[in-house]
Amino acid sequence: MTVATLKLLNQPDVQPETYYLAEEKLISGNPLQTLWMHYSDAHEVFFSGLWKSEPGKWRVHYTEEEYCCIREGISIVTDSAGHATTLKAGDEFVIPRGFQGTWEVVETTLKRFVVYEPGTQV
C-alpha cells in the first residue's frame, strides 16, 4: 500500500490550459478561459485548481458538486428560476449537482474550485 502525501496547491510548475466555450453555450461575448489543474485523484472524480475567465455570459448545467472561492473579479450566477447572485472576491459558495442557469463574468474572474463528480447521471 502506498502512503498518500500532502498535495500543495498553487504550484508554479502547473501549466495552464486555455480554451473558449462551445458556441452553443454562449449568450454573449467569447471569453478566453484558463484552467490550472492542481489536483486530480486516481479515480478522476475529485479535482481542485484555479479557473479564470474574461467577461462574457453562457449557459451552465452542473453534473458535479463544486465548491468555489472567488479570488478576483465579479460574476453573476443566475439559476433557471431567474434568481441572480452577484459574486466578488472573498465570496465562497457551493454549486450543487443539477444546477442549471447562466454564469456571467462582469469583470475578469479568478476562482479556486474543488469539484466532486461521481458520475454523469443527474
Side-chain angles (χ1 to χ4, degrees):
M1 179 180 200
T2 305
V3 176
T5 60
L6 184 72
K7 178 73 174 172
L8 295 175
L9 303 179
N10 292 339
Q11 299 167 353
D13 61 340
V14 174
Q15 294 301 310
E17 171 190 342
T18 58
Y19 59 95
Y20 292 93
L21 293 167
E23 193 171 313
E24 63 270 10
K25 289 184 177 185
L26 289 175
I27 296 171
S28 65
N30 189 22
L32 176 65
Q33 299 193 340
T34 306
L35 180 68
W36 293 267
M37 189 62 73
H38 292 124
Y39 178 79
S40 176
D41 74 326
H43 301 289
E44 297 187 349
V45 297
F46 185 77
F47 309 90
S48 183
L50 291 172
W51 170 87
K52 186 175 188 176
S53 179
E54 295 176 340
K57 185 175 182 178
W58 57 92
R59 292 171 197 80
V60 293
H61 179 185
Y62 279 71
T63 59
E64 69 274 20
E65 305 281 346
E66 182 175 1
Y67 160 83
C68 303
C69 178
I70 302 294
R71 292 182 155 201
E72 299 173 0
I74 299 172
S75 284
I76 301 170
V77 175
T78 305
D79 67 22
S80 58
H83 301 104
T85 303
T86 300
L87 303 163
K88 60 188 181 335
D91 287 340
E92 297 178 74
F93 56 99
V94 171
I95 299 177
R97 184 177 194 192
F99 179 92
Q100 293 185 53
T102 62
W103 187 296
E104 179 180 10
V105 173
V106 178
E107 293 179 7
T108 297
T109 297
L110 175 67
K111 73 175 181 179
R112 160 73 58 204
F113 67 88
V114 178
V115 168
Y116 175 66
E117 185 165 20
T120 56
Q121 296 88 13
V122 177

